[in-house]
Amino acid sequence: MLKKLTAVFLCASVLFTTASVAVAGTGGLSGGDSLDKGCLDLSSKWYQTAENTASLTVSSQAVNTVRPEIFGDNLSWRGNGYDMWNSVTNAPDTKLLEMLKASGVTQLRYPGGIEGDYFHWNESVGDVGGRTAQIDPFSADWPTSAGADGEKYVAIFGPDEFQELVEAAGIRATIQLNAGNGTPQEAADWVRHCLDNGLDVASFAVGNEVHFAEERVAGVTVTKTPEEYIAFYNDVYDALGDLADGVNLGCISIPDSHSLARGDDWDSKILSALGEKIDFVDIHVGYAPYGFSESTTSDSLVECFMASSQWIASLIQEEKASMQANLGANYDNVDLQITEYGPISPGQEEANSVAGAIFLASFFNTVLQEPKITAANHLPLINHFEAPNLLGAWPQRNAYWDNAQTYVFRMYSAQAGRQVLDAELTGCGTFSSSKVGLIPEVTGVPLAESTVYFDPDSQEGSIFLINKSLDENMEFSIQLPFENARLTGAQELWNINPMAENNFYNQSAVTLNDCGSQAQGTSVSGGEFRAVTKPVSLVRIDFTTKAKEP
């Protein structure tokens, strides 16, 4: 179906100007001219509406409160912080700093995932001329394009510059300590350095993915056995001394059923051995699809994006069960963090797509309902070669734009501090996705998804609706627990081609449609109304329980 829709889209671009297609989601393609005042009709006339209605019943009881730390991101030391740092002015890039402030990001993780387990912080501070070259495990790619991984060069964007950036942005830091080719004393010294310099650090994680099997740089070993990691963590803890109890220090792990787990009982060994010395467990389970073959169809890829959060939810529950079994009485004192999440693919095109962004929305719907998860970090902030960039930019060309991911991240980060209301969605039917990349076949996935957020103090809330069907509009029957609720606004993320993306060459192929006037014109009776949404779409509906001013 997607291949057919793509063809229709190409034909449509012959018939319409680019501008008219960009706003078609709220114009000619929309069923928004409905005479039913109790229905927010954002359907497309190009699709039929599913026979089954998704019934959403919302309770006034909260299942969680949205933590701001969920909306973190990742930034590397490589390539001047992927151009966040201007080496000419020796300051953050002015435009990118402005975009970071507006993005909704609350904390940044540094020095950058895999490369962090090769990075020696103490060789990358002070005068740039006196710094030591660091191993770049991705140097075959941008920004060095050296032809092989492992080239060394000086980190212009070191810990000092990182601190200047986060302080200028008014956000917190998350520090990944080098558990690869670093030493426990080096890790402990970085913690002290951060504290001595007044850096506001949300958490310190010991390592990144040293529990995986891959070694990226020939002749450099960073992976560890469970026993080696346990010894390393214990030595870091001991080197911290009294500081260990005053910082948020965590270990890395992975559910045993994950396809990247090595089968060495890492999870149970780490948790049972480290026990009361860990404040959180960091698991990287927030990616999809991790790659795909040339034979993967567009339909299969979109269905994978739509279904992957259900697989992620099962991994989260598996990890919680392992923590309960191995931490015992200390279970309640140990949090979960997911310091890398987001769509990831062999190229940016798929990851940056509308379908990839809706996967991100579904991921948020999953983790924001889970009190055990206290922090998470999207990957990446900018200019990664395989993942969705939160900030679209090519500073050398003075080009800056929003991606589909940007829209979703802003919509959800605006919910920070609000209650997550208990809600039940029934009647929408299900689908199954085939195996794509590292994501297994997922069955029984609801075709619709929804979460509701509310702030009792401001009396304002938001309803998020996801239609995961590839070829049908979806009708939602919504019952809020507030009889005096009225709609105040709505936004829609949709494109007739779910694989559409924004990039340097087309910076507005995907837009966020403002449906506020339609929402305000929708009647809500006793907290009840209906909404109809397009296939593969995300809709945010804002409401208030405050009396309307005369």
Side-chain angles (χ1 to χ4, degrees):
M1 177 60 69
L2 288 183
K3 291 181 178 178
K4 182 186 296 183
L5 292 179
T6 301
V8 172
F9 176 74
L10 293 174
C11 294
S13 31
V14 175
L15 298 175
F16 306 114
T17 66
T18 303
S20 64
V21 173
V23 298
T26 55
L29 305 186
S30 174
D33 55 356
S34 170
L35 297 179
D36 185 349
K37 298 303 181 183
C39 178
L40 175 58
D41 189 354
L42 303 178
S43 65
S44 169
K45 296 176 181 178
W46 288 4
Y47 302 92
Q48 65 181 11
T49 299
E51 291 184 4
N52 295 334
T53 297
S55 297
L56 176 65
T57 303
V58 186
S59 165
S60 59
Q61 298 299 309
V63 298
N64 195 18
T65 299
V66 179
R67 297 180 65 104
E69 291 81 8
I70 297 295
F71 305 103
D73 216 304
N74 277 270
L75 190 59
S76 174
W77 69 266
R78 304 175 63 238
N80 296 340
Y82 289 161
D83 285 333
M84 284 297 297
W85 188 262
N86 187 322
S87 59
V88 176
T89 62
N90 197 32
D93 180 276
T94 303
K95 178 61 178 178
L96 289 175
L97 177 59
E98 177 186 322
M99 294 175 70
L100 174 58
K101 290 179 178 180
S103 67
V105 169
T106 58
Q107 45 100 357
L108 269 181
R109 178 174 177 249
Y110 175 87
I114 289 174
E115 55 264 49
D117 281 329
Y118 296 83
F119 181 75
H120 301 290
W121 75 271
N122 51 345
E123 298 177 346
S124 303
V125 293
D127 183 75
V128 173
R131 297 180 185 181
T132 302
Q134 299 299 303
I135 295 174
D136 181 352
F138 295 104
S139 56
D141 299 296
W142 185 92
T144 52
S145 301
D149 294 327
E151 179 173 309
K152 292 184 177 182
Y153 57 94
V154 169
I156 304 298
F157 185 64
D160 296 339
E161 290 77 19
F162 172 71
Q163 179 166 352
E164 185 174 339
L165 172 67
V166 295
E167 289 179 348
I171 59 179
R172 306 185 74 189
T174 289
I175 299 297
Q176 172 205 326
L177 305 173
N178 182 352
N181 67 351
T183 67
Q185 188 62 55
E186 178 186 341
D189 287 345
W190 196 359
V191 174
R192 287 193 177 87
H193 177 83
C194 292
L195 298 179
D196 290 345
N197 284 273
L199 179 61
D200 183 9
V201 180
S203 61
F204 295 92
V206 180
N208 176 63
E209 292 171 355
V210 298
H211 52 335
F212 290 177
E214 183 183 18
E215 298 284 6
R216 289 199 61 90
V217 180
V220 182
T221 300
V222 298
T223 59
K224 282 181 165 49
T225 66
E227 292 74 21
E228 290 171 335
Y229 182 82
I230 290 167
F232 187 96
Y233 190 101
N234 279 327
D235 287 345
V236 173
Y237 191 91
D238 291 343
L240 284 171
D242 293 340
L243 288 179
D245 293 330
V247 297
N248 195 27
L249 187 70
C251 68
I252 57 173
S253 198
I254 191 168
D256 289 336
S257 71
H258 197 290
S259 55
L260 291 176
R262 295 185 306 207
D264 55 5
D265 296 323
W266 177 284
D267 199 49
S268 59
K269 289 179 179 178
I270 298 298
L271 296 178
S272 59
L274 296 180
E276 295 183 357
K277 294 181 180 180
I278 55 177
D279 297 308
F280 66 89
V281 180
D282 180 10
I283 55 173
H284 290 180
V285 298
Y287 283 139
Y290 292 89
F292 52 86
S293 67
E294 292 183 358
S295 62
T296 302
T297 66
S298 297
D299 281 6
S300 296
L301 183 55
V302 174
E303 286 178 335
C304 176
F305 276 136
M306 297 301 103
S308 289
S309 62
Q310 181 162 304
W311 173 69
I312 291 170
S314 69
L315 291 174
I316 292 170
Q317 294 308 311
E318 179 185 346
E319 186 62 28
K320 287 175 61 181
S322 177
M323 291 170 66
Q324 286 180 311
N326 292 290
L327 293 175
N330 197 43
Y331 170 79
D332 290 338
N333 300 321
V334 180
D335 299 326
L336 263 178
Q337 294 191 8
I338 304 176
T339 58
E340 293 184 12
Y341 66 79
I344 190 166
S345 63
Q348 288 182 343
E349 295 84 0
E350 299 83 12
N352 269 332
S353 68
V354 170
I358 294 176
F359 158 69
L360 178 63
S362 188
F363 171 84
F364 282 141
N365 287 345
T366 299
V367 301
L368 293 179
Q369 296 183 75
E370 177 52 68
K372 196 68 173 173
I373 299 175
T374 57
N377 295 72
H378 174 268
L379 187 147
L381 181 67
I382 184 173
N383 283 340
H384 193 284
F385 54 92
E386 287 186 338
N389 298 301
L390 193 63
L391 310 183
W394 192 345
Q396 293 82 357
R397 298 287 187 91
N398 196 33
Y400 304 89
W401 63 92
D402 287 336
N403 287 316
Q405 299 278 321
T406 318
Y407 303 137
V408 171
F409 200 94
R410 283 182 190 147
M411 283 196 282
Y412 278 89
S413 63
Q415 309 307 310
R418 288 182 171 182
Q419 295 177 343
V420 185
L421 297 185
D422 189 14
E424 182 180 18
L425 186 65
T426 60
C428 60
T430 63
F431 72 99
S432 298
S433 66
S434 57
K435 182 182 185 302
V436 176
L438 296 186
I439 308 300
E441 176 187 11
V442 185
T443 61
V445 183
L447 282 163
E449 186 175 298
S450 179
T451 49
V452 182
Y453 308 91
F454 184 67
D455 181 357
D457 294 329
S458 68
Q459 300 180 60
E460 295 178 344
S462 296
I463 306 163
F464 285 79
L465 305 176
I466 297 179
N467 180 357
K468 296 186 176 184
S469 170
L470 273 61
D471 53 13
E472 289 187 317
N473 298 314
M474 179 68 65
E475 181 174 346
F476 293 81
S477 175
I478 301 167
Q479 178 64 64
L480 294 172
F482 314 110
E483 291 190 357
N484 57 337
R486 58 185 175 86
L487 307 189
T488 57
Q491 294 176 309
E492 174 194 58
L493 178 64
W494 177 81
N495 190 287
I496 195 168
N497 174 15
M499 300 311 298
E501 54 139 355
N502 291 343
N503 54 42
F504 170 72
Y505 302 100
N506 190 345
Q507 299 172 18
S508 57
V510 178
T511 58
L512 189 62
N513 297 318
D514 185 352
C515 310
S517 60
Q518 289 171 269
Q520 292 170 15
T522 301
S523 299
V524 181
S525 177
E528 185 175 2
F529 72 101
R530 291 179 296 116
V532 188
T533 66
K534 299 180 182 67
V536 192
S537 68
L538 168 69
V539 172
R540 166 184 159 177
I541 303 171
D542 296 324
F543 67 91
T544 183
T545 59
K546 292 186 293 188
K548 193 172 184 178
E549 296 182 0

